[in-house]
């Protein structure tokens, strides 16, 4: 580093230190109750008002690059290692990409077993967020001591019996997933053209008992949410406040009747007014979905190519999209099961009609989706074909390109593989659910910070309410930061006092 640059660098470091000293910069690091890592930097002006707030993701993974050269059949096992929270979503998206790669459809029974596995996963994963990650902000309270905003605080608030119910149900669901997938965290169920294991007729009563109890558990969770959140005027005011509101596009997978579907269907995008903007097959995703990058984060910011990247802004002219429960309910015309549809109608009635733009309403939408997952499990385990031994069609086509999509709990997830004639990967492209929310999440964190922090006054509860802006999306940054360009993508820029770049370093 030459002397002038060194001088500016030291001056900038001193100013940053002074900002901390003068309480003009607030850093939340690490942020909590999410999968992966992240931090929030809030910069205040001279009056103590928020000038900018950055939601940064500093971690990096490299699945797109180190998958190259591997047999495509390895991808359901490789990509399930991306994170420990949603391995089943990556396993299933990869399996569907293999179906497309080998131009083979799974058998009817194979597809139903996949859907059974996937809806078990959705029910269990949503319960995790409701009771352990995001839910404590409401069940215990947003300004409760940090040591209480967790599952132990939830148990203290709701009682030991509720705690046993939540933990016991999640354990039983995960045991059923392990039955189907061999193990719960990194399943080995999916194969191109079907599945590796079916349901034995002798074991079906266990699944039916679980399905009955799972639906009761989902309805119980809706009642808990209603009692604690919807009957609390202060919470409803918080959920519907402008601090947590953005009017963006919404994306989700729908069936042939435009109903919510977690496993398969067309991808539908509706605009801020609820009108359909575009509807497309997974194989056409590159015509409609693009990625924007910023120098201050490793996560990519997905946007709707049909409108274009117009910056971190919302409204009908913005290409920013949103996914996950709130978006899925907005993008679909209905739920696929009767009790979930009843809950959906009440949801829109309480929140002012479709589309709902309140970020914190993700929590409510998540509970509605738990009911659909539970009802779908019941339908599947009562289908006589679920115990069929016709589990797989054997692929015979030469592989070229395969694309698979599912709705992860955190939103729409794309896997795209290209191979040589032996089925060895030459390209992999993953557009992960959290990426599709990353622009809106950055906007949500900044807007909440600007709405909540004034005159430089902050406390623990206020900062947690800023964190609630991202936590509602149930983000998974380990999944989202998957690009590895072959070199350390670190770039350091040195600015002068007028914010002009005077030197840039890269390694």
């Amino acid at each position: 580093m030459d002397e002038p640059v060194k001088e500016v660098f030291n001056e900038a470091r001193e100013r940053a230190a002074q900002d901390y000293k003068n309480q003009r910069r607030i850093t939340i690091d690490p942020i909590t109750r999410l999968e992966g890592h992240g931090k929030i930097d809030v910069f205040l002006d001279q009056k103590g008002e928020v000038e900018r707030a950055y939601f940064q993701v500093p971690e990096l993974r490299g699945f797109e690059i180190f998958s190259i050269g591997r047999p495509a059949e390895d991808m359901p096992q490789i990509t399930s290692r991306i994170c420990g929270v949603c391995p089943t979503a990556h396993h299933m998206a990869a399996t569907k990409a293999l179906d497309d790669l080998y131009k083979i459809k799974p058998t009817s029974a194979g597809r139903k077993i996949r859907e059974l596995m996937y809806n078990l996963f959705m029910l269990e994963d949503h319960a995790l967020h409701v009771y352990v990650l995001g839910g404590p902000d409401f069940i215990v309270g947003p300004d409760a001591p940090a040591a209480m905003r967790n599952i132990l605080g939830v148990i203290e608030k709701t009682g030991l019996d509720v705690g046993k119910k939540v933990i016991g149900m999640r354990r039983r669901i995960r045991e059923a997933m392990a039955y189907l997938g061999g193990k719960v965290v990194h399943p080995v169920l999916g194969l191109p053209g079907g599945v590796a294991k079916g349901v034995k007729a002798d074991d079906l009563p266990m699944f039916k008992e679980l399905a009955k109890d799972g639906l009761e558990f989902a309805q119980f969770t809706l009642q808990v949410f209603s009692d604690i959140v919807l009957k609390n005027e202060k919470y409803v005011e918080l959920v519907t406040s402008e601090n947590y509101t953005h009017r963006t596009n919404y994306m989700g997978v729908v069936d042939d009747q435009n109903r919510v579907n977690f496993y398969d269907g067309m991808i539908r995008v509706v605009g801020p007014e609820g009108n359909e903007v575009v509807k497309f097959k997974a194989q056409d995703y590159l015509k409609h979905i693009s990625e924007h990058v910023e120098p201050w984060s490793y996560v990519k910011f997905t946007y709707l190519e049909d409108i274009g990247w117009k910056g971190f802004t919302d409204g009908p002219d913005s290409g920013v999209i949103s996914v996950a429960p709130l978006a899925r309910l907005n993008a679909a015309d209905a739920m696929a099961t009767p009790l979930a549809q009843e809950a959906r109608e009440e949801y829109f009635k309480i929140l002012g009609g479709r589309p709902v733009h309140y970020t914190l309403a993700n929590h409510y939408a998540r509970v509605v989706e738990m009911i659909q997952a539970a009802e779908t499990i019941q339908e599947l385990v009562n289908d006589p074909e679920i115990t069929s031994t016709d589990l797989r069609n054997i692929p015979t086509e030469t592989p070229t390109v395969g694309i698979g999509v599912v709705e992860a709990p955190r939103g729409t997830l794309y896997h795209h593989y290209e191979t040589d004639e032996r089925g060895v990967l030459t390209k992999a492209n993953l557009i992960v659910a959290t990426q599709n929310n990353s622009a809106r999440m950055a906007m949500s964190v900044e807007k909440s910070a600007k709405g909540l922090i004034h005159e430089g006054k902050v406390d623990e509860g206020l900062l947690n309410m800023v964190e609630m802006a991202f936590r509602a999306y149930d983000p998974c940054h380990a999944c989202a930061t998957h690009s590895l360009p072959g070199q350390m993508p670190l770039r350091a820029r040195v600015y002068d006092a007028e914010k002009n770049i005077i030197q840039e370093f890269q390694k």
Side-chain angles (χ1 to χ4, degrees):
M1 187 181 297
D2 56 38
E3 198 56 37
V5 172
K6 186 176 180 181
E7 185 177 333
V8 173
F9 185 86
N10 288 334
E11 181 186 341
R13 188 171 59 178
E14 180 61 30
R15 287 176 59 190
Q18 196 63 37
D19 281 347
Y20 276 118
K21 188 176 179 180
N22 295 337
Q23 297 184 327
R24 288 178 54 201
R25 180 177 177 180
I26 303 162
T27 299
I28 308 173
D29 185 16
I31 54 177
T32 58
R33 283 183 280 139
L34 77 162
E35 213 295 317
H37 304 286
K39 73 169 189 172
I40 295 172
D41 263 329
V42 181
F43 294 87
L44 307 181
D45 63 16
Q46 297 290 350
K47 296 179 181 177
E49 301 297 307
V50 174
E51 187 175 83
R52 286 297 311 269
Y54 293 95
F55 180 55
Q56 294 180 288
V57 181
E59 66 177 311
L60 175 66
R61 297 202 173 187
F63 282 78
E64 286 180 339
I65 293 299
F66 65 66
S67 297
I68 293 174
R70 300 297 297 267
E73 288 91 331
D74 285 356
M75 293 304 281
Q77 278 67 57
I78 291 175
T79 56
S80 65
R81 266 73 178 175
I82 288 178
C83 92
V85 172
C86 46
T88 308
H90 285 285
H91 178 78
M92 204 60 76
T95 300
K96 291 183 67 182
L98 293 185
D99 290 342
D100 192 43
L101 181 71
Y102 288 100
K103 309 306 175 198
I104 187 79
K105 284 187 177 180
T107 63
S108 178
R111 173 175 171 136
K112 287 174 182 175
I113 290 167
R114 286 186 191 177
E115 290 192 78
L116 174 59
M117 175 72 160
Y118 205 66
N119 279 278
L120 285 167
F121 163 63
M122 290 293 287
L123 178 58
E124 186 271 341
D125 193 279
H126 274 356
L128 170 71
H129 195 270
V130 169
Y131 289 103
V132 180
L133 300 177
D137 289 326
F138 289 98
I139 297 173
V140 182
D143 53 1
M148 292 294 295
R149 293 194 300 264
N150 50 46
I151 184 62
L152 297 178
V154 169
I155 291 172
E156 182 170 320
K157 186 73 178 285
T158 60
L160 191 57
D161 288 341
V162 172
K164 288 179 179 178
K165 191 183 190 77
V166 172
I167 293 171
M169 180 52 59
R170 289 196 64 236
R171 176 183 58 78
R172 289 174 63 196
I173 295 173
R174 289 170 71 83
E175 287 173 351
M177 292 171 64
Y179 174 99
L180 294 170
K183 44 189 176 178
V184 66
V185 177
H186 300 133
V188 290
L189 176 70
L191 297 169
V195 294
K197 183 181 180 182
V199 177
K200 292 181 180 176
D202 290 346
D203 296 328
L204 192 56
M206 180 272 288
F207 280 94
K208 288 188 175 181
E209 185 68 17
L210 176 61
K212 179 177 72 67
D213 293 345
L215 179 56
E216 188 276 330
F217 174 68
Q219 292 176 299
F220 165 78
T221 302
L222 180 62
Q223 190 61 51
V224 169
F225 190 86
S226 176
D227 291 343
I228 293 179
V229 180
L230 301 181
K231 292 180 181 176
N232 184 323
E233 289 184 11
K234 183 182 172 184
Y235 281 172
V236 174
E237 186 179 332
L238 182 68
V239 169
T240 58
S241 71
E242 190 61 26
N243 290 339
Y244 298 100
T245 300
H246 286 293
R247 294 161 182 82
T248 61
N249 303 290
Y250 300 97
M251 180 165 68
V253 173
V254 294
D255 66 13
D256 56 4
Q257 298 177 55
N258 284 337
R259 302 178 303 183
V260 171
N261 195 299
F262 305 132
Y263 173 77
D264 199 24
M266 298 278 282
I267 296 104
R268 191 187 197 201
V269 180
V270 301
E273 303 301 324
N275 55 302
E276 182 177 299
V277 176
V278 65
K279 189 176 177 182
F280 57 92
K281 298 186 299 182
Q283 287 73 16
D284 293 332
Y285 83 100
L286 285 176
K287 297 177 183 174
H288 305 287
I289 304 297
S290 291
E291 298 169 294
H292 171 80
V293 296
E294 288 284 335
W296 42 268
S297 180
Y298 283 130
V299 74
K300 294 179 180 177
F301 301 90
T302 309
Y303 64 95
L304 193 62
E305 176 68 24
D306 305 71
I307 297 176
W309 176 255
K310 306 292 178 60
F312 294 93
T313 181
D314 60 5
D317 297 327
S318 169
V320 170
I321 52 180
S322 181
V323 295
L326 171 76
R328 281 192 286 261
L329 266 59
N330 281 338
D333 290 342
M335 304 303 288
T337 55
L339 293 177
Q341 175 61 17
E342 283 181 22
R344 178 183 184 272
E345 290 171 4
E346 186 70 8
Y347 163 89
F348 283 123
K349 181 181 175 182
I350 290 174
L351 296 177
R354 173 176 174 242
V356 168
H357 298 296
Y358 311 125
T359 297
L360 297 182
N362 265 298
H363 297 293
Y364 190 176
R366 193 168 286 116
V367 178
V368 175
E369 289 193 338
M370 285 177 67
I371 295 176
Q372 172 160 323
E375 287 184 284
T376 304
I377 293 167
Q378 270 208 333
E379 289 176 7
L380 289 165
V381 299
N382 285 292
D383 186 324
E385 199 174 24
I386 202 69
T387 53
S388 168
T389 56
D390 183 20
L391 300 179
R392 188 187 184 199
N393 290 320
I394 302 299
T396 57
E397 296 288 321
T398 301
T400 52
V401 178
I403 297 170
V405 63
V406 295
E407 281 294 331
R410 293 145 195 88
T412 316
L413 167 64
Y414 300 86
H415 279 214
H416 173 178
Y417 311 142
E418 297 183 13
T419 72
D420 62 18
E421 70 281 1
R422 301 170 299 163
V424 175
L425 249 68
T426 57
K427 175 183 176 181
N429 187 36
L430 311 181
I431 294 186
V432 177
T434 293
Q435 277 180 261
N436 292 316
N437 269 333
S438 57
R440 179 167 163 140
M441 270 195 294
M443 293 159 56
S444 294
V445 166
E446 179 161 83
K447 189 170 186 177
S448 63
K450 287 182 174 178
L452 294 166
I453 298 173
H454 298 290
E455 298 178 352
K457 296 176 182 175
V458 293
D459 56 33
E460 170 67 27
L462 214 54
L463 293 180
N464 182 57
M465 290 174 72
V466 174
E467 288 193 77
M468 287 170 64
F470 80 77
R471 200 175 287 131
Y473 297 95
D474 189 14
C476 177
H477 295 310
C479 291
T481 55
H482 53 76
S483 175
L484 184 62
Q487 60 183 13
M488 182 65 176
L490 175 63
R491 183 175 296 172
R493 289 170 173 161
V494 181
Y495 295 82
D496 63 18
E498 282 72 44
K499 298 185 178 178
N500 300 309
I501 297 176
I502 59 172
Q503 192 157 346
E504 184 171 305
F505 306 91
Q506 187 170 3
K507 61 178 292 189

